[in-house]
């Protein structure tokens, strides 16, 4: 016989199923969360309640931690496959994700989604980690999804307007701008990478100015057409004031007619001082709405004039946003994050993320054993393929002890036909089969064809009628040798 | 903006506690399958009917031992009757204990004699069969359940 006996009652004890039955994990985790929502004077009791939670959660560790680690590894494998990372790169990224998760409170699965975006955009190594950290912090500050935030930062990085700016500084500026941007960081990025943002950037306007313009337009939900016309107005300003014959252009005449100086407007524009340009128009209008409309229509056209009017009406806000974004950078991102995590919500997210990271790390320590077990299980499966009779009596994947016992009981009661169908295993025993009946006083063995055993076996019993009455151990040994 | 502070301490203790519990639950799982196998073993062996008195004789000439299965020594259903005792004595844990994963262990218990399947499942001539493992497992059910509860509870202490 092989390594395994032909009749096997398999017993499997599984922590996961046991704890699932007791509904421990979820309950205790909730308890942990609820207890953690302690403030002020109750904070001192936190240590004690946390240790209670340890006991509760510890029950589920075997399964929960491995499950967490397995899912985390699955996520990393997905990144590795889709972004073509080496094992070393994947491992390093995994470590970074765990660290970022513990530091920012972003879940590891969200960070993996964000990391995939980063890696797919071709950013690798330290740069990828830096971008991911920055995005996670920005997501905390803006209370938005880390995946969306990462997408916004990755897109913004490719903009001409952000060239030469390191990712932390750029994100600091975007985050600062997003606070006054209807739709938040995502809308801000959409504006920057959209037609309006790109055309504004083409006129040499800085990121702070473009964000400030976008924030004011977003407030009134300015149509893209008006924004584009506004930028066309900027283009007209830069055109020569005379034509090829030396005469002033119609545009110049129209602008000058309203009392504005095209040269002065151009000087503001060339230095990127759009706020100054708008303030100049406002000043020249002298508080007259009609005059202001005439002026902006002359410079920006009737469609673009609407956009300019919005900016002039909200000039104070425009300038404030512009200054805020201009002054923002790496430092403001750090201080913004530091302030954000002082609030209870982000703090608890960080605590829970840290607990999760512990579970993942604990599970990772155990995962190699799982791999060994799988290797062993594959070996067993190969054995079963070669010896299918055992497969019928082995219960492969029954978890809970009670279930195992009842399942085994029902499996063991399978009929002989099923067993005989695995004739390959029975062959060495054919001669013995005839003796079994004798052993228990039943008639000589005469198998039916439909049992799957060769009919010839019926005539192969080695025993004489007299011998059939008694059977010795030695006889069995003899039969075995044949 | 008003903010509240939360003091987090004992993270490393927490980590250690998790690792300790992992080891304890793992040991409990192993113990369940090992001791559970012993329970199945005991119950499966208990089912065997003792050898009928007078059914065994030793030839003075050859010195061989013979077992008589003909009336009045024939087997009585539902359980098998001892003859040589080889099958009953061969019942034991022959697979494992093997670790299938963290906190997940298995053991396999059964007889090793080559004809044991025919007793357990029957043949066209052994019908109904003289099953001993199935009923043995069935009898072990409650005992294994309480063993499991006891082991898990101990692991959580």
């Amino acid at each position: 016989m092989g390594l395994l006996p032909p009749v096997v009652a398999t017993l499997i004890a599984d922590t996961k199923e046991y704890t699932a039955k007791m509904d421990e994990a979820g309950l205790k985790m909730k308890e942990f969360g609820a207890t953690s929502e302690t403030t002020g004077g109750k904070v001192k009791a936190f240590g004690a309640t946390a240790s209670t939670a340890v006991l509760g959660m510890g029950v589920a560790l075997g399964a929960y931690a491995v499950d967490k680690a397995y899912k985390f590894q699955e996520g990393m494998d997905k990144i590795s496959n889709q972004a073509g990372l080496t094992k070393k790169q994947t491992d390093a990224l995994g470590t970074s994700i765990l660290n970022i998760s513990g530091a920012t409170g972003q879940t590891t699965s969200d960070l993996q989604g964000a990391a995939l975006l980063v890696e797919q955009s071709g950013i690798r190594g330290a740069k990828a980690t830096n971008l991911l950290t920055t995005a996670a912090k920005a997501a905390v500050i803006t209370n938005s999804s880390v995946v969306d935030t990462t997408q916004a930062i990755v897109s913004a990085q490719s903009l001409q307007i952000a060239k030469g700016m390191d990712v932390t500084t750029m994100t600091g500026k975007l985050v600062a701008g997003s606070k006054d941007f209807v739709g938040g960081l995502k809308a801000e990025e959409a504006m920057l990478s959209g037609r309006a943002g790109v055309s504004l950037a083409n006129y040499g306007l800085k990121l702070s100015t473009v964000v400030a313009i976008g924030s004011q337009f977003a407030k009134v939900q300015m149509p893209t057409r008006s924004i584009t016309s506004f930028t066309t107005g900027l283009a007209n300003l830069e055109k020569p004031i005379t034509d090829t014959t030396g005469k002033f252009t119609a545009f110049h005449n129209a602008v000058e007619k309203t009392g504005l100086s095209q040269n002065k407007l151009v000087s503001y524009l060339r230095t990127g001082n759009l706020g100054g340009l708008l303030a100049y128009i406002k000043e020249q209008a002298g508080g007259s709405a009609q005059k202001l409309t005439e002026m902006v229509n002359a410079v920006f056209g009737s469609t673009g004039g609407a956009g300019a009017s919005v900016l002039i009406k909200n000039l104070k806000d425009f300038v404030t946003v512009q200054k805020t974004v201009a002054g923002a950078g790496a430092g403001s991102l750090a201080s913004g994050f530091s302030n954000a995590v002082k609030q209870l919500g982000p703090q608890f997210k960080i605590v829970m993320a840290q607990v999760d990271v512990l579970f993942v790390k604990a599970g990772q320590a155990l995962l190699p054993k799982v791999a060994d077990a799988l290797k062993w299980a594959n070996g067993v499966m190969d054995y079963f393929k070669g010896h299918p009779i055992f497969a019928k009596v082995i219960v492969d994947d029954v978890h809970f002890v009670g279930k195992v016992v009842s399942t085994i009981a029902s499996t063991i009661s399978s009929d002989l036909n099923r067993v005989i169908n695995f004739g390959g295993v029975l062959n060495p025993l054919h001669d013995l089969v005839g003796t079994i009946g004798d052993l228990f006083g039943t008639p000589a063995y005469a198998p039916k064809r439909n049992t799957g055993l060769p009919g010839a076996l019926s005539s192969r019993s080695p025993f004489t009628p007299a011998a059939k009455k008694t059977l010795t151990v030695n006889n069995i040994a003899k039969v075995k040798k044949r | 903006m008003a903010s509240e502070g939360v003091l987090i301490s004992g993270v490393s203790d927490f980590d250690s506690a998790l690792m300790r519990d992992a080891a304890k639950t793992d040991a409990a799982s192993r113990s369940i399958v090992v001791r559970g196998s012993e329970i199945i073993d005991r119950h499966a062996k208990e089912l065997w009917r003792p050898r009928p008195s007078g059914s065994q004789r030793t030839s003075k000439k050859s010195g061989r031992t013979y077992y008589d299965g003909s009336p009045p020594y024939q087997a009585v259903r539902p359980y098998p009757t001892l003859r040589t005792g080889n099958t009953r004595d061969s019942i034991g844990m022959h697979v494992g204990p093997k670790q299938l994963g963290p906190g997940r262990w298995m053991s396999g218990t059964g007889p090793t004699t080559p004809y044991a399947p025919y007793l357990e499942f029957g043949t066209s001539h052994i019908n109904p069969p003289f099953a001993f493992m199935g009923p043995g497992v069935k009898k072990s059910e409650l005992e294994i359940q309480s063993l499991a509860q006891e082991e898990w509870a101990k692991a959580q202490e």
Side-chain angles (χ1 to χ4, degrees), chain A residues 1-332:
Chain A
M1 296 300 289
L3 292 170
L4 296 166
V7 181
V8 181
T10 304
L11 194 57
I12 297 175
D14 192 330
T15 322
K16 185 176 182 177
E17 287 302 311
Y18 176 76
T19 49
K21 293 273 178 199
M22 289 179 69
D23 197 22
E24 282 287 330
L27 197 68
K28 294 294 177 188
M29 285 301 282
K30 276 181 198 164
E31 209 175 287
F32 181 68
T35 318
S36 302
E37 286 166 15
T38 326
T39 58
K42 291 181 183 176
V43 168
K44 285 176 187 171
F46 185 77
T49 50
S51 60
T52 309
V54 170
L55 291 176
M57 282 190 287
V59 177
L61 172 74
Y64 187 76
V66 172
D67 206 39
K68 275 275 166 196
Y70 182 75
K71 281 179 181 159
F72 180 76
Q73 195 50 48
E74 253 188 346
M76 292 314 300
D77 289 346
K78 193 175 158 190
I79 297 173
S80 171
N81 293 336
Q82 294 189 17
L85 300 187
T86 63
K87 189 183 179 303
K88 197 178 169 187
Q89 286 172 324
T90 310
D91 290 346
L93 183 63
T95 307
S96 300
I97 287 175
L98 289 177
N99 291 339
I100 296 168
S101 176
T104 63
Q106 300 291 345
T107 66
T108 50
S109 55
D110 283 350
L111 285 169
Q112 283 175 328
L116 182 61
L117 282 172
V118 175
E119 298 290 337
Q120 281 181 330
S121 67
I123 303 165
R124 295 274 193 276
K127 280 186 179 174
T129 306
N130 187 31
L131 197 152
L132 209 53
T133 310
T134 306
K137 286 181 177 175
V140 172
I141 299 169
T142 57
N143 194 26
S144 53
S145 141
V146 68
V147 178
D148 289 346
T149 307
T150 306
Q151 178 68 68
I153 295 172
V154 168
S155 303
Q157 262 205 322
S158 61
L159 296 174
Q160 191 59 36
I161 199 169
K163 289 281 183 220
M165 213 181 275
D166 72 81
V167 71
T168 322
T169 304
M170 185 197 72
T171 307
K173 288 183 183 297
L174 290 181
V175 168
S178 72
K179 288 178 183 171
D180 295 293
F181 214 104
V182 176
L185 192 62
K186 201 175 176 184
E188 186 184 13
E189 183 275 322
M191 186 279 294
L192 286 174
S193 56
R195 269 179 66 194
V198 171
S199 53
L200 285 168
N202 285 342
Y203 295 110
L205 298 180
K206 290 180 180 174
L207 182 66
S208 55
T209 305
V210 178
V211 169
I213 294 170
S215 70
Q216 301 312 310
F217 285 166
K219 268 185 199 170
V220 295
Q221 295 186 317
M222 181 69 67
T224 307
R225 194 164 60 91
S226 298
I227 303 172
T228 313
S229 299
F230 174 76
T231 56
T232 309
L234 296 176
N236 289 336
L237 278 176
E238 285 195 318
K239 284 179 183 170
I241 56 171
T242 53
D243 59 20
T244 48
T245 59
K247 288 181 180 175
F248 287 120
T249 61
F251 175 77
H252 175 79
N253 288 334
V255 169
E256 296 286 330
K257 192 180 171 186
T258 61
L260 292 171
S261 158
Q262 187 179 356
N263 285 335
K264 198 153 191 180
L265 290 168
V266 169
S267 68
Y268 281 120
L269 185 61
R270 283 186 180 156
T271 54
N273 187 3
L274 191 68
L277 183 148
L278 296 170
Y280 167 69
I281 296 174
K282 189 180 181 182
E283 188 189 318
Q284 294 304 308
S288 162
Q290 193 188 342
K291 188 79 178 160
L292 182 69
T293 306
E294 277 176 26
M295 287 176 168
V296 293
N297 285 350
V299 178
F300 300 101
S302 56
T303 314
S309 295
V310 168
L311 292 178
I312 291 169
K313 278 177 192 166
N314 299 287
L315 194 56
K316 202 176 167 187
D317 289 346
F318 169 82
V319 173
T320 305
V321 174
Q322 193 185 29
K323 279 184 181 170
T324 306
V325 175
S332 65

Side-chain angles (χ1 to χ4, degrees), chain A residues 1 3-16 18 22 24 32 36 38-40 43-44 46-47 50 53-55 57-63 66 339 341-344 347-348 351 354-355 358-359 361-363 365-367 369-370 372-374 376-377 389 393-406 408-409 411-416 419-420 426 429 432-433 436-448 451 469-476 478 480, chain B residues 1-15 17-26 28-30 32-38 40 48 55 57 63-71 73-75 77 80-84 86 92-96 98-127 129-142 144-145 147-150 152-153 156-157:
Chain A
M1 296 300 289
L3 292 170
L4 296 166
V7 181
V8 181
T10 304
L11 194 57
I12 297 175
D14 192 330
T15 322
K16 185 176 182 177
Y18 176 76
M22 289 179 69
E24 282 287 330
F32 181 68
S36 302
T38 326
T39 58
V43 168
K44 285 176 187 171
F46 185 77
V54 170
L55 291 176
M57 282 190 287
V59 177
L61 172 74
V66 172
N339 287 333
V341 294
K342 280 179 185 162
Q343 295 161 25
L344 278 178
Q347 274 197 18
F348 285 123
V351 172
Q354 284 173 348
V355 170
L358 285 179
F359 275 124
K361 285 181 177 172
L366 297 168
L367 266 181
K369 292 183 188 171
V370 178
D372 288 346
L374 287 174
W376 173 83
I389 186 172
V393 289
I394 280 275
V395 179
D396 179 48
D397 193 24
V398 184
H399 307 295
F400 191 55
V401 177
K403 198 179 170 191
V404 170
V405 173
S406 59
I408 291 169
T411 310
I412 280 180
S413 67
S414 17
D415 62 39
L416 181 64
V419 177
I420 286 176
L426 290 177
L429 308 174
L432 278 177
V433 172
I436 304 296
D438 299 326
L439 189 63
F440 294 98
T442 50
Y445 185 72
K448 294 172 186 172
T451 60
K469 289 186 180 177
T470 53
L471 181 66
T472 67
V473 176
N474 290 339
N475 281 344
I476 292 175
K478 276 183 189 173
K480 264 186 177 175
Chain B
M1 186 181 294
S3 66
E4 297 286 351
V6 174
L7 180 66
I8 306 299
S9 63
V11 173
S12 59
D13 291 344
F14 181 78
D15 197 13
L18 293 179
M19 296 309 289
R20 267 200 309 278
D21 277 346
K24 278 161 74 180
T25 50
D26 198 54
S29 299
R30 188 185 188 281
I32 289 166
V33 299
V34 172
R35 291 177 60 193
S37 168
E38 288 165 6
I40 293 172
W48 289 70
S55 65
R57 68 178 178 83
R64 285 177 177 173
T65 304
Y66 295 89
Y67 301 93
D68 193 348
S70 60
Y73 308 118
Q74 74 271 34
R77 286 194 160 77
T81 301
L82 273 183
R83 301 295 175 187
T84 65
N86 287 345
M93 184 173 67
H94 299 291
V95 183
K98 289 273 185 186
Q99 190 175 26
L100 302 178
R104 194 160 189 253
W105 284 79
M106 69 85 79
S107 68
T109 311
T112 55
T113 52
Y115 46 85
Y118 307 105
L119 293 178
E120 184 67 35
F121 305 123
T123 69
S124 58
H125 296 285
I126 308 178
N127 189 20
F130 293 98
F132 54 96
M133 281 308 295
V137 168
K138 195 99 181 154
K139 283 195 168 202
S140 311
E141 191 173 330
L142 285 175
I144 293 175
Q145 275 180 356
L147 163 72
Q149 278 170 14
E150 177 197 323
W152 293 123
Q156 292 167 53
E157 280 170 4

